[in-house]
């Protein structure tokens, strides 16, 4: 995240205000950022989030007043360093919602928020895909840009709620999710990005079955050390005991080099988590071909020692921290 030293507020609804000419010899600081407001009742600069994004230059802070905003929000790669933030700090007050399934709209088209831009931050909002049928992917968030931060967000869906995706091959994006809430049933945290989910509540929905789904589906490329990290978090559900898997091995498109990596560490696991079968096969590929492990978890769903629950040593855990997942070649460290 790049702290912004100064903000310039736009006050003309629907247009960008032109700042007065600076005194001779003075210029606007390069770090100054545009701030605009979205309000569904017309009291802001725009009534929809998408209209604000369309008008905003890179680096804009978009404040969103309480309300429910329907339809896809797309942040293209050309709009780097955008911030979306609810004005109240309570994520339930600002709801961005859609109900498109991937079966008709495609994966990206189904995403309620499609964020392809780097250096973006999202604070204090709910992002939901309410597609009711359980026969298709239906994304709440498609995170396709590098160095993205999500704080105090609620991500609501059923199948494939949250995708972190850097494209095919070894290309990888990084995202950090902090003090948030993620809900779903099937593969609802998935992809090939370097994704850290920290201090977050992860709720598995109850399908009323002996198989109540899978939390993760990682497709980490074999050349990348880090995939999905769940740390300092709480995994809970009202589903029956031992009916939810921590994840399964997704070889996206049948790619043999998609050797998913997931670590669940320092977290509290509810009784819904399986002992046998905590990690599962997918598409004919054994979970043992992927890199799945745990460390220092507690709760009724923590491992009781079954061979289906690989544990790493403290020495190994020291090399699998949030900072190491996200640092990349540029030393990025958004971790709180």
């Amino acid at each position: 995240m790049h702290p912004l030293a100064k903000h310039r507020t736009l006050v003309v609804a629907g247009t960008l205000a032109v700042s007065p000419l600076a005194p001779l010899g003075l210029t606007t600081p390069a770090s100054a950022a545009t701030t605009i407001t979205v309000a569904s009742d017309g009291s802001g600069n725009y009534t929809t989030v998408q209209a604000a994004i369309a008008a905003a230059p890179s680096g804009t802070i978009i404040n969103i007043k309480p309300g429910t905003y329907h339809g896809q929000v797309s942040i293209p790669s050309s709009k780097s360093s955008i911030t979306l933030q609810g004005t109240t700090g309570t994520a339930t007050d600002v709801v961005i919602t859609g109900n498109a399934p991937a079966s008709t709209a495609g994966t990206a088209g189904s995403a309620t928020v499609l964020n392809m831009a780097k250096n973006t931050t999202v604070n204090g909002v709910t992002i939901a895909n309410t597609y009711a049928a359980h026969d298709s992917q239906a994304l709440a968030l498609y995170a396709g840009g590098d160095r993205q931060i999500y704080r105090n967000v609620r991500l609501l869906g059923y199948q494939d709620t949250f995708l972190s995706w850097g494209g095919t091959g070894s290309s990888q994006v990084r995202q950090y999710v902090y003090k948030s809430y993620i809900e779903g049933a099937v593969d609802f945290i998935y992809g090939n990005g370097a994704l850290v989910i920290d201090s977050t509540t992860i709720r598995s929905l109850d399908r009323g079955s002996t198989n109540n789904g899978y939390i993760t589906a990682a497709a980490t490329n074999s050349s990348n050390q880090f995939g999905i990290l769940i740390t300092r978090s709480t995994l809970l559900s009202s589903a029956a005991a031992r009916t939810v898997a921590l994840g399964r091995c997704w070889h996206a498109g049948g790619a043999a080099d998609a050797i998913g990596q997931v670590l669940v560490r320092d977290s509290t696991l509810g009784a819904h988590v399986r002992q046998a079968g905590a990690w599962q096969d997918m598409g004919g590929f054994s979970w043992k071909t992927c890199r799945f492990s745990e460390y220092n978890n507690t709760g009724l769903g923590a491992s009781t020692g079954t061979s289906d629950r690989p544990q790493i040593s403290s020495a190994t855990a020291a090399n699998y921290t949030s900072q190491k997942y996200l640092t990349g070649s540029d030393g990025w460290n958004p971790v709180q």
Side-chain angles (χ1 to χ4, degrees), residues 71-72 97-113 128-142 156-161 190:
Q72 187 182 68
T97 185
N99 64 353
S103 57
T104 58
T107 300
S110 78
T112 301
V113 171
N129 190 318
T130 61
Y131 181 66
H134 298 161
D135 59 352
S136 174
Q137 301 169 297
L139 280 65
L141 173 63
Y142 184 136
L156 311 180
Y158 183 85
Q159 181 172 338
D160 294 7
T161 303
Y190 76 116

Side-chain angles (χ1 to χ4, degrees), residues 179-199:
K179 287 193 174 180
S180 294
Y181 175 92
I182 306 172
E183 180 178 282
V186 178
D187 304 333
F188 62 99
I189 301 169
Y190 76 116
N192 63 6
L195 171 63
V196 172
I197 299 173
D198 183 4
S199 305

Side-chain angles (χ1 to χ4, degrees), residues 108-222:
S110 78
T112 301
V113 171
L114 175 64
N115 187 359
M116 304 303 291
K118 65 181 181 180
N119 296 320
T120 51
T121 299
V122 181
N123 294 324
V125 303
T126 293
I127 302 170
N129 190 318
T130 61
Y131 181 66
H134 298 161
D135 59 352
S136 174
Q137 301 169 297
L139 280 65
L141 173 63
Y142 184 136
D146 193 32
R147 295 168 56 121
Q148 295 181 352
I149 299 171
Y150 299 87
R151 293 195 189 92
N152 184 26
V153 299
R154 298 171 71 242
L155 305 177
L156 311 180
Y158 183 85
Q159 181 172 338
D160 294 7
T161 303
F162 178 16
L163 171 62
S164 171
W165 188 253
T168 58
S170 60
S171 176
Q172 194 172 45
V173 291
R174 295 165 291 171
Q175 286 106 24
Y176 180 58
V177 180
Y178 181 66
K179 287 193 174 180
S180 294
Y181 175 92
I182 306 172
E183 180 178 282
V186 178
D187 304 333
F188 62 99
I189 301 169
Y190 76 116
N192 63 6
L195 171 63
V196 172
I197 299 173
D198 183 4
S199 305
T200 289
T201 297
I202 300 171
R203 178 182 290 275
S204 294
L205 297 174
D206 185 1
R207 304 199 298 174
S209 171
T210 56
N211 176 9
N212 282 307
Y214 321 88
I215 295 171
T216 66
T220 321
N221 187 270
S222 59

